Amino acid sequence: MSALRLISNRTSQQALSNSDYTWEYEYYEYGPVSFEGLKAHKYSIVIGFWVGLAVFVIFMFFVLTLLTKTGAPHQDNAEPSEKRFRMNSFVADFGRPLESERVFSRQIAEESRSLFHFCINEVEHLDKAKQSQKGPGLESNIHFQEVPRSSGMFEEDLNCLTKFNIPNFVNTEQNSSLGEDDLLISEPPIILESKSVMQSSHRILD
Amino acid sequence: ENMSDFSLNITDCTQVVVPEEVFFTVAAAGILENLLVLIAVIRNKNLHLPMYFFICSLAISDMLGSLYKTLENIFIILCKMGYLTRRGDFEKKLDDAMDSMFILSLLGSIFSLLAIAADRYITIFYALRYHNIMTLRRALVILAIIWTFCAGSSIAIALFSYEAATVIPFTILFPLMMFFILCLYVHMFLLARSHAKKIASLPTSTVHQRTNMKGAITLTIFLGVFLCCWAPFVLHILLARFCPHNPYCACYMSIFHVNGTLIMCNAIIDPMIFAFRSPELRSTFKKMFCCAR
């Protein structure tokens, strides 16, 4: 690569034209590099670099595993739990491209219904307090930025109602049952954003 | 200084040569695989989503990297066979063009990985607003900006590679982006863990710790692969700039071709850890090959 030509303004008289892998972009032939008096092994940078890289990657892995171990306790449960299945797929799919192609699956109607019920419940809770906010949101498929930002959670609920697209982190397997599991999976961002919604969602789940 | 007295010291670090067959096989595999990803995304309308466009961008930059190496090898062979002169003007221009292709590939890879990480971050933390935040049009605009910036920078770096100033930002950008991507993913990972805790605290659910391990493994693979494939080359550039005469540095630089092969291996591994994890894409592949038969 001749971007390294910056070092070698002197590549003109290379005496290596008959060796195999030479051509004019060989700036690593920096002329007489003396190899005498080396204190350490000559490949020490190579070895040091790769060892350092391996140590760093392993260290990163252990840090992440440590985060795992201090996380959820492992509970034994004999029955196959749908929630566990969902949680597995959610966490495992953390590394996978979170798919919204599930939107096109044949279960979309049912899931929309369950999400719709969830949204309806949410909005019913909040509707009592703020009647006026619902108006513009329900009319049209407006963008998030256009909804008045007077209260944090209303926008999501209004978006729920206006667009029944399933957020694309919901991983719906073909053989899974619907209902609370979807709501559970759709919780995490809400949990992050508002504690009140978490309480209400627990109300829904119970 | 002239090279007239180049002495072949036995203790010299001679160039580590990678056989041409290995080179071409690895490069061809990388190009084909990424091309398949592109074709699959283009053909399947279900995959016209921002997330897959970012994966396509990564596939394009990987393809450019492998293409660069292939062309470089072809030129070496042509030079050996005498069809090309070694100091011609045309060859220098061609060489500059190929250099900029390579830097474009590196920058494109970094920014595509960043875009993928940011897209996943928005998916998880702004899930309900995701469809409003990351519309298809915005994704295409983001990609256009990324690639324009990368193209401009690569041409500038290739033209001004003689200046010291170009190498330093280039090598600072690399770890900076890596660190940023790592932060995004760790934050997502922490959320997944806290979500797991919340699920576990519910009376009727269980959480398998194994799945969190899987998240740790996946994340380590993402970043480990990128680091191991690109960092050797970036270090090469640094050493070539700052200590070309040092024997230790020279020994490191003698494995230049191995570093190049690693970059091509990255092009092969990236589709496996990004694109092929999507069942929709896999089923598109199966359909493509089944219809071909």
Side-chain angles (χ1 to χ4, degrees):
Chain A
M1 187 175 118
S2 76
L4 303 184
R5 210 190 299 163
L6 56 93
I7 327 305
S8 60
N9 294 328
R10 52 181 103 79
T11 52
S12 24
Q13 274 85 35
Q14 297 288 347
L16 310 153
S17 46
N18 42 8
S19 63
D20 283 355
Y21 251 77
T22 59
W23 54 326
E24 69 262 27
Y25 314 121
E26 257 166 341
Y27 9 59
Y28 21 76
E29 316 284 352
Y30 289 122
V33 180
S34 89
F35 280 88
E36 277 125 42
L38 291 184
K39 294 187 215 61
H41 190 260
K42 56 183 179 169
Y43 282 110
S44 52
I45 292 188
V46 179
I47 297 171
F49 171 74
W50 281 104
V51 167
L53 201 60
V55 164
F56 175 73
V57 171
I58 293 175
F59 168 73
M60 198 169 60
F61 176 68
F62 276 128
V63 164
L64 292 173
T65 320
L66 206 67
L67 290 177
T68 304
K69 293 254 187 293
T70 56
H74 177 63
Q75 300 173 16
D76 283 325
N77 196 349
E79 59 185 74
S81 162
E82 285 296 332
K83 287 195 176 66
R84 176 176 66 157
F85 185 66
R86 285 312 188 87
M87 191 52 224
N88 286 355
S89 41
F90 171 68
V91 176
D93 287 344
F94 158 75
R96 243 162 67 164
L98 303 167
E99 297 139 11
S100 58
E101 68 262 17
R102 301 295 180 185
V103 170
F104 305 105
S105 74
R106 59 176 180 274
Q107 295 180 350
I108 180 177
E110 297 149 341
E111 285 152 6
S112 298
R113 214 183 312 130
S114 68
L115 200 59
F116 176 76
H117 288 315
F118 168 65
C119 295
I120 287 293
N121 284 335
E122 285 300 290
V123 175
E124 273 169 9
H125 287 309
L126 304 162
D127 194 27
K128 293 168 191 137
K130 306 259 181 175
Q131 295 274 346
S132 57
Q133 304 285 343
K134 270 176 73 172
L138 281 176
E139 298 309 313
S140 59
N141 200 7
I142 55 177
H143 284 290
F144 163 66
Q145 292 83 4
E146 296 168 15
V147 176
R149 292 189 63 99
S150 52
S151 59
M153 285 318 300
F154 291 146
E155 289 84 352
E156 281 82 14
D157 305 319
L158 296 173
N159 277 336
C160 268
L161 288 177
T162 54
K163 291 172 74 161
F164 294 128
N165 290 328
I166 297 179
N168 63 355
F169 62 89
V170 173
N171 186 10
T172 61
E173 304 293 335
Q174 296 291 343
N175 56 354
S176 65
S177 65
L178 303 167
E180 293 152 2
D181 298 332
D182 295 326
L183 306 177
L184 205 57
I185 295 298
S186 51
E187 263 180 29
I190 309 175
I191 288 175
L192 270 190
E193 300 183 274
S194 164
K195 286 190 173 58
S196 62
V197 178
M198 186 164 120
Q199 290 158 7
S200 50
S201 61
H202 277 297
R203 232 175 296 144
I204 291 169
L205 292 172
D206 290 343
Chain B
E1 310 157 23
N2 287 337
M3 317 289 82
S4 46
D5 54 353
F6 185 80
S7 54
L8 275 177
N9 204 337
I10 298 179
T11 60
D12 273 355
C13 293
T14 53
Q15 274 289 323
V16 174
V17 172
V18 176
E20 280 170 17
E21 295 82 17
V22 174
F23 239 73
F24 280 122
T25 314
V26 174
I31 293 176
L32 277 176
E33 204 176 347
N34 288 294
L35 205 59
L36 281 177
V37 169
L38 280 176
I39 293 176
V41 170
I42 289 174
R43 280 177 65 160
N44 188 350
K45 290 275 184 295
N46 287 351
L47 297 177
H48 287 187
L49 298 166
M51 154 189 12
Y52 288 104
F53 286 169
F54 294 136
I55 291 181
C56 277
S57 162
L58 185 66
I60 290 177
S61 46
D62 285 337
M63 234 170 35
L64 281 177
S66 300
L67 207 63
Y68 159 78
K69 275 290 169 188
T70 314
L71 288 177
E72 191 186 50
N73 257 34
I74 291 178
F75 279 119
I76 292 177
I77 293 174
L78 287 178
C79 276
K80 260 197 298 187
M81 303 200 322
Y83 291 121
L84 289 178
T85 63
R86 304 179 86 236
R87 312 246 181 294
D89 218 20
F90 170 71
E91 280 77 12
K92 284 201 167 54
K93 289 207 175 69
L94 211 54
D95 186 57
D96 274 339
M98 287 190 348
D99 285 345
S100 57
M101 186 198 293
F102 177 74
I103 300 176
L104 180 67
S105 156
L106 172 58
L107 289 176
S109 279
I110 295 179
F111 280 106
S112 299
L113 285 176
L114 185 65
I116 291 176
D119 178 66
R120 290 180 183 175
Y121 189 85
I122 296 176
T123 303
I124 289 185
F125 284 93
Y126 299 94
L128 290 175
R129 291 175 267 164
Y130 174 79
H131 286 292
N132 286 335
I133 296 178
M134 188 63 78
T135 58
L136 212 61
R137 198 165 149 268
R138 270 196 205 153
L140 290 172
V141 164
I142 290 172
L143 283 177
I145 293 175
I146 286 178
W147 280 98
T148 313
F149 174 74
C150 293
S153 315
S154 70
I155 293 176
I157 291 178
L159 285 178
F160 297 111
S161 58
Y162 301 98
E163 311 286 333
T166 53
V167 176
I168 296 178
F170 180 69
T171 46
I172 286 179
L173 183 74
F174 180 78
L176 213 65
M177 298 293 246
M178 285 301 307
F179 181 68
F180 189 52
I181 292 175
L182 183 67
C183 286
L184 283 179
Y185 275 118
V186 165
H187 196 193
M188 285 191 266
F189 186 79
L190 288 177
L191 169 69
R193 181 179 68 105
S194 74
H195 182 73
K197 262 202 279 201
K198 287 188 176 74
I199 298 284
S201 64
L202 293 174
T204 55
S205 66
T206 68
V207 173
H208 225 273
Q209 242 180 355
R210 203 167 31 89
T211 60
N212 279 339
M213 271 291 283
K214 205 167 159 196
I217 292 175
T218 307
L219 186 52
T220 312
I221 289 177
F222 278 169
L223 295 166
V225 162
F226 187 77
L227 265 181
C228 290
C229 291
W230 286 101
F233 188 83
V234 174
L235 183 63
H236 178 104
I237 292 183
L238 265 181
L239 294 182
R241 179 68 193 87
F242 290 115
C243 64
H245 298 297
N246 191 318
Y248 300 113
C249 299
C251 274
Y252 182 84
M253 293 192 284
S254 67
I255 59 170
F256 178 67
H257 292 288
V258 176
N259 295 341
T261 315
L262 277 175
I263 291 177
M264 292 197 292
C265 289
N266 181 58
I268 296 181
I269 297 176
D270 267 347
M272 292 186 205
I273 60 181
F274 285 98
F276 292 165
R277 294 181 78 115
S278 154
E280 180 76 21
L281 209 114
R282 283 202 298 260
S283 67
T284 314
F285 271 122
K286 288 194 195 112
K287 268 187 247 161
M288 268 168 40
F289 285 120
C290 292
C291 291
R293 293 210 180 121

